[in-house]
Amino acid sequence: MEKRSAEKRRKGRRKKGNGWLIGLLVLILLAGGAYLFRKPLTALAFDLFVSPTLESTLQQSYQPRGGGSQLPAPEPVSYQDKPFSVLLLGSDKRPYEKTRGRSDTIMVAAVRPKESRVLLVSIPRDTYVQVVGRDADHDGVDDYDKITHAYAYGGEEMSIDTVEKFLNHKVDYYATINFQGIQDVVNAVGGVSLPIEEDIENKNPNHEQFKIEGGKPIYNGEEAMYYVRYREDSDFNRTKRQQIFLNSFANKVLTFNGVTKIPELLDIMGHNFQTDMQPSFIVDLGKQVLTQTKPQISSFTIMGEGLKIDGTYYDQADEKDLEYAKSLIENWMDPNTTSATLKLPDRQEIE
């Protein structure tokens, strides 16, 4: 009797051991399958959790140039095989302010959907340019001023016109977001990873006071907002930080959990985000990006030298940098450019 009981216990242990082993194998197979079919699963998640609400949510942010909100006929999906450009504007407007604020961040993104590649060309906010449509003296000649002021004077319309003249490139779309929107969406995805090795502190008494602790694995929305706005070292470093943040945030959103949060993120931004990209176009593009390889982001900043006019500081754009930026955009926007002939910036600014 005792012998049979011992044998029974041994069989029981073997069954438990086999159950544990089978369970582990199932987990490995499931994990392997999830990895193998990660693109279809992401597309499925997009269809299940994102598409049903994304297009209607995006209509809140749709704002065509020149006013109005009537949605035109959807653009054909085949358009996403072609390169397109977007003027990205980050406004410094606070929630309590009635003015539209200035554009602290000014980037032209040349997007090549077919190859899943993006070029970011940054223009420092203090760059001295001719602001198209701004004629304060009514002498028939557009004023020269900091490029950031184009948004304050005439919103995205004046910013678009000014950037197009400066870069000799007609942008296809624009997108604006204010810094409150950045803070909220970063918190919604649980923070972002930023390469801050030492403390960053705003010490200028004329600037908003803050301190960001270095060496943290994750930074919240407020810290991320301060990171992209800090400029007490140089305008070049500031634009570099903005590029790094965009890359880090994109990586966070392009995870499975991040994908399911896209409608929530757009809803959070609400009126903090505006674009003239049609909702249907963004939905189709989003799904296309998620089912391809991870987007590769290259970046270039137009450098300049300090310039003082009547006691006001400006950045005078380096002519060689400006011409090089124009050639990069022209190359990336050419549909006949191949992977072999695609120009990569001669200095990479995203680490």
Side-chain angles (χ1 to χ4, degrees), residues 199-211 230 232:
D199 293 355
I200 296 176
E201 186 173 4
N202 239 16
K203 296 178 179 178
N204 190 320
N206 297 319
H207 295 165
E208 185 178 355
Q209 303 297 295
F210 63 78
K211 183 177 181 179
Y230 179 74
E232 291 188 2

Side-chain angles (χ1 to χ4, degrees), residues 127-128 166 300 302-305 316-327:
T127 301
Y128 189 63
F166 180 64
F300 183 79
I302 300 172
M303 300 288 286
E305 293 185 1
Q316 182 70 57
D318 180 270
E319 282 299 321
K320 288 185 178 179
D321 266 18
L322 179 56
E323 292 306 313
Y324 183 66
K326 290 178 182 178
S327 72

Side-chain angles (χ1 to χ4, degrees), residues 148-204:
T148 183
H149 290 158
Y151 188 76
Y153 295 142
E156 64 276 350
E157 194 71 31
M158 192 173 286
S159 293
I160 292 166
D161 293 341
T162 300
V163 169
E164 288 182 338
K165 181 178 179 66
F166 180 64
L167 292 176
N168 192 30
H169 167 69
K170 189 167 183 63
V171 298
D172 296 310
Y173 304 103
Y174 81 89
T176 65
I177 183 172
N178 66 41
F179 286 108
Q180 183 62 46
I182 290 176
Q183 182 173 330
D184 292 345
V185 296
V186 169
N187 284 334
V189 298
V192 292
S193 174
L194 298 171
I196 304 174
E197 296 178 359
E198 298 179 356
D199 293 355
I200 296 176
E201 186 173 4
N202 239 16
K203 296 178 179 178
N204 190 320

Side-chain angles (χ1 to χ4, degrees), residues 106-125:
I106 306 161
M107 295 181 185
V108 172
V111 185
R112 296 182 65 88
K114 197 171 181 180
E115 293 126 335
S116 197
R117 301 202 67 138
V118 179
L119 169 70
L120 297 176
V121 173
S122 294
I123 308 171
R125 69 193 296 277

Side-chain angles (χ1 to χ4, degrees), residues 248-264:
S248 179
F249 183 72
N251 286 338
K252 190 67 178 282
V253 173
L254 288 174
T255 62
F256 182 85
N257 289 334
V259 170
T260 63
K261 284 182 172 288
I262 290 175
E264 178 189 348

Side-chain angles (χ1 to χ4, degrees), residues 124-128 146 233-236 302-319:
R125 69 193 296 277
D126 292 335
T127 301
Y128 189 63
K146 297 180 179 184
D233 47 3
S234 71
D235 224 10
F236 171 74
I302 300 172
M303 300 288 286
E305 293 185 1
L307 173 70
K308 262 194 174 182
I309 301 176
D310 297 330
T312 301
Y313 173 84
Y314 301 91
D315 275 330
Q316 182 70 57
D318 180 270
E319 282 299 321

